[in-house]
Amino acid sequence: MLKVGVLGAGHLGKIHLRLLQQSEKYELVGFYDENPEYAQKIAAEFGYKRFTTIATLIHAVDVIDIVTPTLSHYKCARVAIKSGKHVFIEKPISNTIEEAEEIIALANEYNVKGQVGHVERFNPAFIATKDMIENPMFIETHRLAEFNPRGTDVPVVLDLMIHDIDVILSVVKSPVKAVHASGVAVISDTADIVNARLEFESGCVANLTASRISLKNMRKSRFFQKDAYISVDFLEKKCEVVKMKDAPENPGDFDMILQNAEGVKKQIYFKNPDISANNAILDELETFADAINNNTTPVVTLEDGTDALKVAYRIIECFR
């Protein structure tokens, strides 16, 4: 079991602490939070060992789980990596591209592994369909959230849309050629609702919408490719796959047949992939343990997190 310590015991940090304590792949050593009164309260309430400095926690573990505000990701990662510790970093990897690239360089220099917390890669609905997503040519995503003051210190692109950016980059194996976007700051100092269009060299186009001032929550992505439509509901953990194939010569009474102007007939059929219930956050943490123990590449690498951040900033630059 790998010894792990958590930096940051806020909303998400508490979830990480609980799951790491349950995990059979980690031994939770303790946590550090910069607010001493709050840290003492968490330690008393849940029984986790509280460390009073980042340095003492880093010294006591093999892995550091960074769940602090984005602005401090780089500082925390730098200290941990220079101490020879593996790092799991919540998304986004850092506040700037320069910081992200230095984290990669440091991890290579000190021969440690890093993973970024893009949790939607572990969503069971996406896992059930990702192998069916082949060369998509049009993608549409909607990630809408009711207003929550937590997270408004960063633009909605870095808070919400970056999840969809990472998912899209994981299935579209082509460089981004052009970015167009518009965003509006409604109740924050940064954009609260954003629409972006990504054009890839392959010809694929992705249309992304993210909002944190919606009346209802929604996290849906639709992938369109030759002879297939794939819908993934990340919130409800459901998926829908509609495929087409050449129509049989003698279709059955209940077969759905389409015929185009040239007389070509296609049969529409539905696939219902098996969705295995999971805890996505626990899975991302435990696959990182596997990558360390087996010396394999993490599912979401530091480079993946940096690529998503680069696209996010190209979007933000469109409406600055």
Side-chain angles (χ1 to χ4, degrees), residues 189-210:
D189 292 333
T190 59
D192 294 304
I193 183 166
V194 171
N195 177 259
R197 175 185 171 93
L198 308 181
E199 298 174 8
F200 294 85
E201 289 183 5
S202 65
C204 176
V205 171
N207 190 20
L208 301 83
T209 299

Side-chain angles (χ1 to χ4, degrees), residues 17-291:
L17 283 164
R18 174 173 56 82
L19 294 173
L20 288 168
Q21 192 171 50
Q22 296 171 5
S23 173
E24 296 179 358
K25 299 188 179 185
Y26 289 102
E27 175 193 339
L28 177 62
V29 173
F31 76 99
Y32 169 83
D33 191 277
E34 66 178 3
N35 183 327
E37 291 81 13
Y38 176 75
Q40 187 59 45
K41 176 176 175 288
I42 295 297
E45 185 174 349
F46 298 102
Y48 308 129
K49 182 177 179 181
R50 174 199 166 203
F51 284 73
T52 54
T53 67
I54 292 177
T56 53
L57 176 60
I58 289 174
H59 183 71
V61 300
D62 307 306
V63 181
I64 284 290
D65 181 10
I66 300 170
V67 204
T68 58
T70 303
L71 291 173
S72 62
H73 284 187
Y74 166 71
K75 179 182 70 175
C76 295
R78 188 169 182 269
V79 174
I81 292 170
K82 284 195 164 190
S83 301
K85 311 300 178 178
H86 305 289
V87 291
F88 182 97
I89 309 173
E90 234 339 293
K91 66 81 196 165
I93 179 173
S94 60
N95 190 48
T96 69
I97 295 165
E98 292 75 21
E99 289 175 350
E101 289 177 337
E102 187 168 342
I103 290 171
I104 292 171
L106 285 169
N108 290 331
E109 180 183 347
Y110 287 87
N111 196 29
V112 300
K113 292 191 181 294
Q115 180 164 317
V116 183
H118 284 288
V119 71
E120 295 291 34
R121 295 266 207 113
F122 298 84
N123 188 296
F126 180 63
I127 290 172
T129 54
K130 67 179 181 180
D131 289 339
M132 301 179 193
I133 302 172
E134 300 172 352
N135 195 29
M137 295 310 291
F138 180 68
I139 302 169
E140 189 168 39
T141 72
H142 288 87
R143 186 166 295 260
L144 315 178
E146 297 173 11
F147 181 71
N148 182 342
R150 185 172 56 84
T152 53
D153 55 326
V154 295
V156 72
V157 177
L158 297 179
D159 183 29
L160 297 180
M161 188 180 280
I162 198 163
H163 281 297
D164 298 311
I165 294 169
D166 173 69
V167 165
I168 289 169
L169 294 182
S170 77
V171 297
V172 180
K173 304 302 183 183
S174 174
V176 177
K177 180 177 69 174
V179 175
H180 308 279
S182 59
V184 180
V186 180
I187 50 178
S188 308
D189 292 333
T190 59
D192 294 304
I193 183 166
V194 171
N195 177 259
R197 175 185 171 93
L198 308 181
E199 298 174 8
F200 294 85
E201 289 183 5
S202 65
C204 176
V205 171
N207 190 20
L208 301 83
T209 299
S211 168
R212 57 185 175 202
I213 50 169
S214 296
L215 296 178
K216 64 175 183 177
N217 294 323
M218 178 190 289
R219 302 205 306 260
K220 283 186 178 180
S221 295
R222 300 172 181 85
F223 303 86
F224 298 85
Q225 60 197 43
K226 185 173 176 58
D227 295 337
Y229 158 77
I230 299 161
S231 173
V232 180
D233 189 327
F234 291 93
L235 185 62
E236 299 293 335
K237 298 178 176 58
K238 295 177 181 177
C239 59
E240 184 179 30
V241 179
V242 183
K243 303 196 85 171
M244 285 198 301
K245 61 183 178 182
D246 291 334
E249 283 191 24
N250 300 302
D253 292 341
F254 298 102
D255 288 347
M256 295 180 65
I257 308 296
L258 290 179
Q259 181 174 328
N260 65 15
E262 287 74 36
V264 177
K265 294 181 179 180
K266 294 280 187 178
Q267 179 182 354
I268 295 175
Y269 65 103
F270 298 86
K271 294 190 75 170
N272 295 306
D274 291 330
I275 297 178
S276 302
N278 72 336
N279 185 307
I281 296 176
L282 180 61
D283 277 7
E284 67 176 352
L285 290 165
E286 291 198 332
T287 61
F288 185 47
D290 292 340

